[in-house]
């Protein structure tokens, strides 16, 4: 009986990861990070449909509302830039407003705050993110973060 249960768990894991994962990478350096993120998730068995955008407005305009959608929302001091009206074209919205608009356009999407450290985990949760990932940890924690948010856990 134990063997059957192990086989069931393995089959379930393969089915879950073989579904298409729509990943929107919205970050000032999206094109620099896209290849690494795609490689990590593909190696873990995910069928990744990666959409890199270096501009918040473009990323929001292209959200499709499909199942299995994750947004890696880059935060590089854009809340500070926005507060002092110094926002660059890529980050015209505060993190809270960006997350609100994502929820309006794609209510089933999971939002992961993707930061170099300019934004705290508490701020990310307060502003509506489902998870928090340091850019420096992408190679070691991306897969676990994706699994957790797809299973509905706040990470």
């Amino acid at each position: 009986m134990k063997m059957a249960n192990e086989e069931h768990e393995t089959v379930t894991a393969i089915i879950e990861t073989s579904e298409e994962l729509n990943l929107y990478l919205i970050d000032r350096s999206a094109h620099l990070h896209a290849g690494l993120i795609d490689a990590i998730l593909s190696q873990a068995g995910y069928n990744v449909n990666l959409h890199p955008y270096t501009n918040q407005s473009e990323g929001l305009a292209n959200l499709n509302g499909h199942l299995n959608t994750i947004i890696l929302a880059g935060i590089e001091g854009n809340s500070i830039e926005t507060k002092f009206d110094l926002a660059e074209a890529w980050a015209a919205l505060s993190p809270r407003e960006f997350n609100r608009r994502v929820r309006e356009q794609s209510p089933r999407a999971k939002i992961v705050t993707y930061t170099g450290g300019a934004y705290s985990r508490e701020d990310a949760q307060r502003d509506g993110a489902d998870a928090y990932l340091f850019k420096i940890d992408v190679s070691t924690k991306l897969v676990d973060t994706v699994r957790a948010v797809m299973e509905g856990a706040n990470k």
Side-chain angles (χ1 to χ4, degrees):
M1 198 67 170
K2 185 178 180 184
M3 179 71 140
N5 190 32
E6 288 174 2
E7 287 176 15
H8 172 72
E9 288 175 10
T10 300
V11 169
T12 301
I14 291 169
I15 290 169
E16 287 174 358
T17 60
S18 66
E19 292 180 40
E20 186 173 88
L21 174 64
N22 294 296
L23 193 134
Y24 289 78
L25 173 58
I26 304 172
D27 183 79
R28 181 186 342 217
S29 305
H31 296 294
L32 295 175
H33 299 260
L36 176 62
I37 288 169
D38 187 39
I40 291 167
L41 292 172
S42 295
Q43 186 174 17
Y46 286 93
N47 179 12
V48 181
N49 188 8
L50 184 62
H51 309 272
Y53 294 98
T54 56
N55 178 294
Q56 285 178 332
S57 298
E58 288 177 13
L60 283 169
N62 287 288
L63 283 178
N64 60 23
H66 291 151
L67 290 174
N68 297 329
T69 296
I70 294 178
I71 291 94
L72 284 180
I75 306 291
E76 295 182 31
N78 58 332
S79 59
I80 294 168
E81 293 164 354
T82 302
K83 182 176 180 178
F84 292 105
D85 202 25
L86 302 172
E88 296 178 6
W90 84 275
L93 304 172
S94 69
R96 178 176 287 177
E97 180 62 17
F98 176 80
N99 292 347
R100 186 189 68 73
R101 290 188 189 185
V102 166
R103 298 279 185 230
E104 280 180 1
Q105 290 180 236
S106 191
R108 297 178 290 195
K110 304 296 184 184
I111 302 168
V112 177
T113 294
Y114 184 57
T115 181
Y119 202 63
S120 74
R121 182 179 307 275
E122 294 77 20
D123 287 340
Q125 288 177 332
R126 180 199 68 224
D127 289 342
D130 297 295
Y132 183 85
L133 180 64
F134 277 114
K135 291 179 180 181
I136 198 164
D137 292 335
V138 72
S139 64
T140 58
K141 296 185 179 176
L142 178 63
V143 173
D144 290 340
T145 301
V146 166
R147 282 191 185 123
V149 297
M150 294 310 290
E151 292 171 1
N154 275 355
K155 184 110 172 120

